[in-house]
Amino acid sequence: MRIFLLAFIFLSVTAAASDAVWVHKVDKPVESVYKSIYSALEEARFYVVFEPNIGKNISQFRERWGDDFNRNDLTEIRSMVFCNGWYANQVSNADTEMLALCPLHITLTEKEGRSSILFVRPSFVAKGTGAEAISIEIENKVIKAIQAATVDTSKSGAAVSSSTTK
């Protein structure tokens, strides 16, 4: 009985984690898709306000962290922090606590020349709140922009795959 219960809990947590993060993979390095994603977000009126290069920032700890440094051998970790004032206002009108979503961000990772774009689904965070409907709209618009940007890069040879969007 305990084994069954533990297995159920593990599978529930795994499913919840995968529902929380939208993952989009592109057979190109981050450098090849970064600018097109940036432009697509801004065309969709999500303005990039901060661009942390996480990989570069943590690389200074390589010696200090030793064997614990970058065990997944990622060659790039970058983020884009972005916002749309109108949507921020709509979220605030619906549920002020869901302003925790603002600003939004995506993280781009690279391994072996393949990029993963990671986006915490606003609809997952806002599920059951007054901001759920507007969060779904925001999520869909951001995902559509990312997909459009990476489809454009695939015209020059990249194979694109993504997780399904809800």
Side-chain angles (χ1 to χ4, degrees):
M1 180 68 169
R2 284 184 181 176
I3 293 173
F4 174 75
L5 185 58
L6 287 172
F8 177 77
I9 291 169
F10 174 75
L11 291 174
S12 297
V13 170
T14 303
S18 65
D19 288 345
V21 178
W22 179 77
V23 179
H24 186 68
K25 296 185 182 282
V26 182
D27 285 329
K28 285 202 165 219
V30 166
E31 190 63 34
S32 297
V33 296
Y34 189 89
K35 288 180 183 177
S36 62
I37 293 172
Y38 183 109
S39 295
L41 286 171
E42 293 220 333
E43 285 175 27
R45 304 220 186 278
F46 290 98
Y47 299 101
V48 178
V49 295
F50 186 54
E51 301 175 73
N53 187 329
I54 298 165
K56 183 178 177 182
N57 291 340
I58 66 171
S59 68
Q60 64 186 329
F61 297 104
R62 180 183 311 269
E63 288 182 34
R64 184 181 200 179
W65 295 343
D67 291 339
D68 203 32
F69 177 77
N70 193 11
R71 292 186 300 186
N72 287 308
D73 296 320
L74 297 174
T75 51
E76 190 83 50
I77 309 170
R78 296 184 66 183
S79 286
M80 286 183 215
V81 179
F82 54 94
C83 191
N84 173 300
W86 187 85
Y87 278 126
N89 182 63
Q90 295 304 307
V91 169
S92 176
N93 289 342
D95 185 332
T96 57
E97 291 180 359
M98 287 299 102
L99 280 172
L101 291 167
C102 299
L104 298 165
H105 77 279
I106 60 171
T107 301
L108 295 90
T109 64
E110 179 185 324
K111 183 173 183 172
E112 299 175 355
R114 183 175 170 96
S115 296
S116 295
I117 299 100
L118 313 171
F119 177 51
V120 174
R121 293 177 179 271
S123 65
F124 185 85
V125 176
K127 190 171 187 97
T129 71
E132 184 173 3
I134 194 67
S135 295
I136 292 168
E137 183 178 330
I138 293 166
E139 177 179 307
N140 290 335
K141 193 167 182 178
V142 169
I143 288 172
K144 184 178 176 183
I146 294 168
Q147 289 175 326
T150 54
V151 166
D152 287 345
T153 62
S154 70
K155 290 178 184 172
S156 58
V160 178
S161 67
S162 77
S163 64
T164 47
T165 39
K166 292 184 175 179

